């Protein structure tokens, strides 16, 4: 029998009038990804190249040794977005997407043709945030969301999430175990700055949104940048999609 506590509750708006939400869930659902992080990513972070990457100062876009994961940074900012780099690794993140019931919860926001699409999953790792880097994840009105939740509880000195309320005030969302925040287009936000810490700050992120290929031009500047191996709105893997070709072929036949 399924206990009511285990069932994911509905979304709550982060603050009035914002395209951002929180979602409670059973933190035990993170266990497979915690094991995966410890086994497949942590050793690289402890290696010399990993330690150097955590210092920031360089743009990173490269596969990690073993090619199971790839690392991406926004310019020189010391925050590493570590994405699955093959189908097997991607499955672990996509399973969590299903378990969280995101297709059900985001129907109204995303208005998919059939179902809300999972695009990619990441470990977001850092140990310092020198300054606020305010940004919007998506182009205006892009039907995409970035889910973020702590993979491990943050240390007291770690930064949380700064965001702007509807009337432009700065506010803080505090990450907590068993709760995810979903960031949509239009939410100005930043990591809360924090001094170098001896402990890694490890968040888990999933990107998701529309299953309509026609929305891809709006989503591509975000989704197409952070990972090399990800799902397009149509559900095909980047570089393995023939949808546009088929559409043209059908038009030619008509
Ligand atoms: Zn396709």
């Amino acid at each position: 029998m399924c206990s009511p506590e285990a069932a994911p509750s509905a979304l709550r708006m982060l603050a009035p009038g914002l395209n951002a939400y929180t979602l409670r869930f059973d933190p035990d659902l993170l266990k497979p990804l915690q094991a995966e992080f410890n086994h497949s990513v942590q050793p690289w972070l402890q290696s010399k190249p990993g330690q150097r990457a955590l210092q920031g100062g360089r743009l990173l876009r490269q596969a990690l040794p073993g090619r199971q994961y790839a690392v991406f940074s926004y310019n020189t900012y010391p925050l590493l977005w570590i994405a699955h780099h093959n189908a097997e690794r991607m499955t672990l993140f996509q399973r969590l997407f299903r378990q969280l019931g995101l297709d059900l919860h985001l129907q109204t926001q995303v208005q998919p043709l059939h179902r809300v699409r999972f695009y990619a999953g990441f470990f977001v790792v850092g140990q310092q945030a020198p300054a606020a880097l305010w940004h919007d994840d998506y182009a205006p009105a892009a039907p995409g969301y970035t889910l973020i939740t702590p993979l491990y509880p943050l240390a007291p000195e770690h930064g949380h999430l700064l965001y702007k309320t509807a009337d432009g005030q700065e506010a803080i969302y505090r990450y907590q175990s068993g709760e995810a925040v979903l960031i949509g287009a239009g939410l100005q936000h930043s990591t809360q700055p924090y001094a170098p810490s001896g402990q890694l700050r490890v968040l888990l992120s999933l990107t998701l949104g529309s299953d309509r290929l026609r929305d891809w031009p709006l989503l591509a500047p975000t989704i197409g940048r952070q990972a090399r191996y990800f799902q397009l709105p149509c559900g095909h893997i980047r570089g393995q999609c023939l949808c546009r070709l088929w559409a043209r072929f059908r038009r030619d036949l008509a």
Side-chain angles (χ1 to χ4, degrees):
M1 214 177 89
C2 190
S3 75
E5 287 81 14
S9 61
L11 300 184
R12 300 174 68 167
M13 207 179 268
L14 181 61
L18 296 182
N19 184 21
Y21 303 87
T22 58
L23 175 71
R24 302 285 312 166
F25 64 93
D26 177 357
D28 280 357
L29 294 176
L30 295 178
K31 282 186 174 164
L33 284 160
Q34 287 168 339
E36 172 65 6
F37 176 80
N38 296 347
H39 177 262
S40 301
V41 177
Q42 181 93 316
W44 177 74
L45 289 167
Q46 286 165 346
S47 73
K48 263 201 183 137
Q51 290 290 309
R52 252 200 325 270
L54 284 164
Q55 298 304 313
R58 282 185 310 151
L59 175 95
L60 295 169
R61 268 166 215 199
Q62 65 203 53
L64 300 189
R67 306 193 67 79
Q68 307 273 6
Y69 286 90
V71 61
F72 170 92
S73 72
Y74 282 94
N75 293 319
T76 58
Y77 203 71
L79 187 66
L80 309 180
W81 288 72
I82 300 174
H84 43 68
H85 205 48
N86 60 35
E88 192 192 348
R89 300 294 118 183
M90 186 178 76
T91 302
L92 296 167
F93 295 83
Q94 194 165 6
R95 188 180 303 146
L96 178 68
F97 166 83
R98 278 197 298 271
Q99 289 169 329
L100 293 177
L102 292 164
D103 176 36
L104 181 73
H105 296 312
L106 284 158
Q107 283 287 324
T108 310
Q109 288 81 3
V110 171
Q111 306 250 318
L113 189 60
H114 299 292
R115 64 184 69 85
V116 174
R117 183 73 66 198
F118 164 86
Y119 302 138
F122 307 83
F123 299 115
V124 185
V125 187
Q127 54 187 22
Q128 59 182 311
L133 184 66
W134 288 96
H135 65 283
D136 203 324
D137 279 359
Y138 295 94
Y145 287 85
T146 305
L147 176 149
I148 304 181
T149 191
L151 187 68
Y152 291 106
L154 271 59
E157 69 272 21
H158 286 158
H160 290 260
L161 179 75
L162 298 179
Y163 68 93
K164 296 266 173 78
T165 60
D167 57 3
Q169 300 295 309
E170 203 173 298
I172 297 180
Y173 167 76
R174 294 185 67 83
Y175 290 113
Q176 48 184 304
S177 291
E179 187 172 277
V181 62
L182 283 138
I183 297 171
L187 186 83
Q188 281 289 308
H189 61 280
S190 167
T191 299
Q192 181 186 24
Y194 64 101
S197 162
Q199 293 206 59
L200 284 182
R201 176 181 178 269
V202 189
L203 306 173
L204 177 81
S205 179
L206 307 176
T207 52
L208 48 120
S210 169
D211 62 346
R212 298 170 193 267
L213 200 54
R214 66 160 193 236
D215 290 327
W216 180 238
L218 271 178
L219 294 161
T222 307
I223 306 302
R225 261 181 91 190
Q226 294 174 311
R228 300 296 298 279
Y229 191 95
F230 61 85
Q231 288 189 160
L232 293 159
C234 56
H236 295 127
I237 299 297
R238 180 198 73 109
Q240 301 173 16
C241 168
L242 298 175
C243 290
R244 287 228 166 91
L245 206 63
W246 277 113
R248 200 183 318 147
F249 181 62
R250 281 196 300 270
R251 272 200 305 277
D252 289 347
L253 286 181

